[in-house]
Amino acid sequence: GDRPPRHRAAALERLEDGDLARGALPLQALLLLGGLCLADGDAPRAKELFMHACRLGPSGSSWLGAGSACLALGEDEAAEECLCEANVLNNRDARVWAQLAVICARRSRLDEAKQALEQATRLELSDGRMLRALAEAMLGSGMWKEAEACARRALALGDGPGAGHLH
């Protein structure tokens, strides 16, 4: 199970004092820690960890993490750059396509948003939180049909209030 955030924070502090400061953490540990920070809402720390992972061993996962952190920080341009790198390394990740769709919708690039959303859907995006973010971005861009489809899918996955009640 998940550890409470206070344990994560204490573990990160110990790591930053030791292994992270010396650059001795393995790539998988950086990705895991970045994901934990992002889940806990610490996007600046997550970005730092993921960018360090990108320097050590660029991968679809490290660039996706960096892009997700940048997106959480509202740094859409940097997020798009990271997500494009992730997409070059692995163009079969629905989460990358979904986040690219969010960015394109936010930036009023609606044709691109629709194409990225189609790819995420084709690749069977099943992340309820990402589907809700997509629904919000599409709604904010006036893409009503797409927003409704994303919201319905998130609800069907059993994620969020009223989950499973709309089909």
Side-chain angles (χ1 to χ4, degrees):
D2 269 353
R3 289 183 175 170
R6 67 179 181 277
H7 290 108
R8 289 182 189 159
L12 279 168
E13 285 176 29
R14 283 196 297 274
L15 285 168
E16 286 178 346
D17 289 342
D19 290 338
L20 185 59
R22 291 191 309 273
L25 278 180
L27 187 58
Q28 285 305 110
L30 288 169
L31 295 175
L32 177 62
L33 290 171
L36 291 172
C37 287
L38 199 54
D40 284 344
D42 189 354
R45 185 178 275 174
K47 178 183 173 184
E48 179 184 334
L49 289 162
F50 283 123
M51 292 305 288
H52 189 61
C54 290
R55 286 188 294 276
L56 288 178
S59 67
S61 297
S62 61
W63 285 113
L64 170 61
S68 298
C70 289
L71 194 60
L73 291 167
E75 300 172 0
D76 286 0
E77 191 170 317
E80 186 171 11
E81 290 177 25
C82 292
L83 293 166
C84 285
E85 289 291 333
N87 208 13
V88 166
L89 295 169
N90 176 10
N91 68 358
R92 308 277 310 149
D93 191 325
R95 297 166 304 168
V96 172
W97 285 108
Q99 290 186 48
L100 285 168
V102 167
I103 291 167
C104 290
R106 281 185 186 173
R107 300 179 106 185
S108 298
R109 294 175 7 220
L110 303 186
D111 287 340
E112 290 176 73
K114 190 171 184 175
Q115 290 171 359
L117 177 58
E118 287 171 1
Q119 286 295 328
T121 302
R122 187 173 296 121
L123 294 169
E124 300 179 5
L125 179 66
S126 59
D127 180 329
R129 186 179 327 160
M130 179 51 55
L131 282 160
R132 285 195 316 272
L134 272 166
E136 289 174 22
M138 297 298 146
L139 190 61
S141 295
M143 298 173 74
W144 316 117
K145 185 175 118 188
E146 292 83 357
E148 180 184 10
C150 291
R152 285 182 180 276
R153 177 79 176 127
L155 288 170
L157 286 171
D159 190 55
H165 295 225
L166 189 62
H167 296 283

